[in-house]
Each structure stands twice: as structure tokens, then as C-alpha cells.
Amino acid sequence: MSLEELVERVAGEIVRARWPVALTGAGVSTESGIPDFRGPQGLWRKYDPNEFTYSSFMEDPARYWRRHMEIFAGLSGVKPNPSHYALARLEELGRLKCLITQNVDGLHQRAGSRNVVEFHGSLSQAKCLRCGSLYPMEEVEARVRAGEIPPKCGCGGILKPNVVFFEEPIPFEALSRAQAEALRCDLMLVAGTSASVYPAAELPYLAKFGRSPLYFPGLEPVVKDRPAVIVEVNLNPTQLTDTIADYSLLGKTGEILPKIVERVEGLLKG
Ligand SMILES: [Zn+2]
């Protein structure tokens, strides 16, 4: 099927869906100039992932914050790209009920998406490890730049970026919401992610089969009215491509998502 035909079919599916949701990953942000973690140009080629574990942070928060400034401090100048705007528009059209993202850059919200589940937290805030207060990251980075290393809360607690570090669990609320949306949806648009890292990797399976591919003895699958349609938009084929994806649109998300949304608008106008 040509890309045009795929776009047409997927737009039709999105218009007909009762509860369409999206799952996004690093691929939607690379076009904004944000490096991914695992790719060939990824951060883990340059930095040791062991520096980004929770225990490493706790051992030496000052060391973490110096690294943070080196890697992430430029990100506040980064802007959403057509992928983010297309998904925000889809929500505005009433054709996207929830957006689950593995990204921590906050670009979906800056593009206008409202119902966003941030699976791995957000780099746009720092959180006090003692009292839980949240601070805007820009303010915290300014304090670090001025020599406050590590930055601290008014209560004296150390501030940590409000993102999930290695060794840390996915925040309970984000995980529950994401799983509930996956079980509820009848269409899942998986964009810019190979969906290979747990627990995000199980969401397309929850959407399609009502159960995780992990085996939990005695746990019956949730019975779904019908399996969700799985639409994949990604630069390269993934493990979903030949398995559970009903449609795989291969190419830049920043080019394909706007095409889909344009056709959705066309169909909605009838
Ligand atoms: Zn505090």
C-alpha cells in the first residue's frame, strides 16, 4: 500500500474510533533537535547510563547537576515540531482522548496537548526530595548556574529533576492512567517509539488484547469489545511492525502525522 493510501485508511480509522489514544517516544522529539538515549547518536554513546541512576544521584547530587547542565540546560530553547502540533490538533478536533508519552521534554504540552500522561516525568520541573515541592526547571537551572550546587528547596531538601531515573519505578499515577487508557482505547497511535522498553512496551498489547505480554499466572485478560487498531508511525520498522501493528507508516513522524491529521480534518468536514 502506498503511503497516501495508508494515510487515507488511518485517517478513516481515527474518525471512526470511539476512544483513540497515542503513545509517543523519542522519535517525535528528535526532529526538534533533542537527542534520544539509545539511538546511534544517542546520549548513551557519549555518557555512562550509570551516572543517571537514582543511587548515583543520591550518592553525589552535585555531580549529577553539573552533568545535567552540560546535557540538558540548552533544552529550554528547543521548540515543538510538526509532530507535536499535529497531535495537539488531533486532540483539539476531539479525535485524541489521551496522549501517553515517554518523553520528558514537555514539548507536547507546549504544542497545546492537554491530556498528557508523562510516563517518565518531566524535565520542566524539579522536585524536593524531602517535602515534594515542585520548582520550574528554568529557575532551578539559573540557581545552579549561579553556583548553588546542588540546588535546594526552602525546606533544605535537595532538588532532583522530576523525571524517572534508572532504578526508579514509573510513578503510580502515570502508570495507572496509561494502563487504563490502553485498556479503554479502540485505537492506539504509536509514534516515534520502538515500544521496546517496559512498561511502555506493554501498552499496545493491553490495547489490542486486554493483557500484557508478560505472563501473570491466574490473571485473566480484560475482555475488550474489540481489539484496538494499532497504528505505528516511525522512522524504522519496530517489533510491532510485523506483529501487532495493523498499519505501519514508515518515515518521519513530523511529515506523516500532519498528513494524517489533515485528512482527518478533511473527513470530519465531510
Ligand atoms: Zn522541600
Side-chain angles (χ1 to χ4, degrees):
M1 225 185 285
S2 72
L3 183 63
E4 278 63 35
E5 286 171 299
L6 281 167
V7 165
E8 190 64 31
R9 290 220 192 172
V10 165
E13 295 277 8
I14 291 174
V15 169
R16 285 191 299 274
R18 279 190 319 238
W19 200 266
V21 306
L23 170 65
T24 69
V28 299
S29 286
T30 44
E31 287 161 47
S32 289
I34 292 184
D36 63 7
F37 290 91
R38 292 179 168 78
Q41 308 293 323
L43 284 177
W44 302 146
R45 296 292 167 105
K46 203 170 160 197
Y47 297 98
D48 180 1
N50 291 319
E51 285 185 28
F52 299 86
T53 61
Y54 183 72
S55 47
S56 164
F57 179 91
M58 296 307 282
E59 198 179 278
D60 193 347
R63 179 183 59 198
Y64 169 81
W65 278 104
R66 275 184 226 107
R67 269 283 191 245
H68 174 99
M69 298 307 282
E70 218 179 289
I71 302 172
F72 299 115
L75 292 189
S76 44
V78 165
K79 292 187 172 54
N81 69 55
S83 307
H84 302 105
Y85 289 115
L87 291 166
R89 179 72 183 134
L90 209 50
E91 183 180 1
E92 200 175 42
L93 293 167
R95 295 288 78 217
L96 193 64
K97 299 296 184 184
C98 178
L99 195 162
I100 304 158
T101 186
Q102 300 166 81
N103 299 339
V104 295
D105 51 43
L107 290 178
H108 283 302
Q109 291 93 329
R110 278 172 54 196
S113 286
R114 283 182 300 242
N115 192 17
V116 180
V117 177
E118 291 177 305
F119 226 75
H120 294 142
S122 172
L123 265 184
S124 57
Q125 290 174 322
K127 188 176 185 177
C128 171
L129 289 176
R130 186 183 291 171
C131 74
S133 294
L134 293 168
Y135 292 82
M137 186 58 90
E138 278 177 37
E139 177 198 319
V140 174
E141 286 175 351
R143 281 157 54 186
V144 174
R145 224 173 268 119
E148 189 187 327
I149 307 179
K152 287 184 179 165
C153 177
C155 81
I158 287 170
L159 298 181
K160 174 183 166 291
N162 195 21
V163 297
V164 176
F165 278 42
F166 291 120
E167 300 168 349
E168 279 191 291
I170 302 292
F172 178 75
E173 196 209 329
L175 185 59
S176 310
R177 278 179 67 200
Q179 289 172 335
E181 292 286 353
L183 287 171
R184 179 173 189 181
C185 77
D186 59 351
L187 183 143
M188 181 175 273
L189 178 57
V190 183
T193 175
S194 58
S196 58
V197 182
Y198 275 84
E202 76 175 359
L203 297 176
Y205 288 84
L206 289 178
K208 189 142 186 167
F209 303 117
R211 63 172 170 77
S212 166
L214 298 173
Y215 178 64
F216 300 109
L219 191 63
E220 293 299 320
V222 172
V223 177
K224 300 196 61 145
D225 297 346
R226 66 170 177 128
V229 175
I230 308 294
V231 178
E232 170 185 53
V233 181
N234 202 49
L235 198 53
N236 301 304
T238 72
Q239 59 176 16
L240 299 179
T241 312
D242 293 322
T243 54
I244 69 167
D246 296 284
Y247 303 93
S248 282
L249 289 72
L250 300 181
K252 289 186 172 177
T253 59
E255 288 168 11
I256 295 175
L257 290 174
K259 282 186 186 158
I260 293 174
V261 176
E262 193 186 323
R263 279 309 296 141
V264 168
E265 288 207 63
L267 291 173
L268 289 174
K269 280 178 194 146

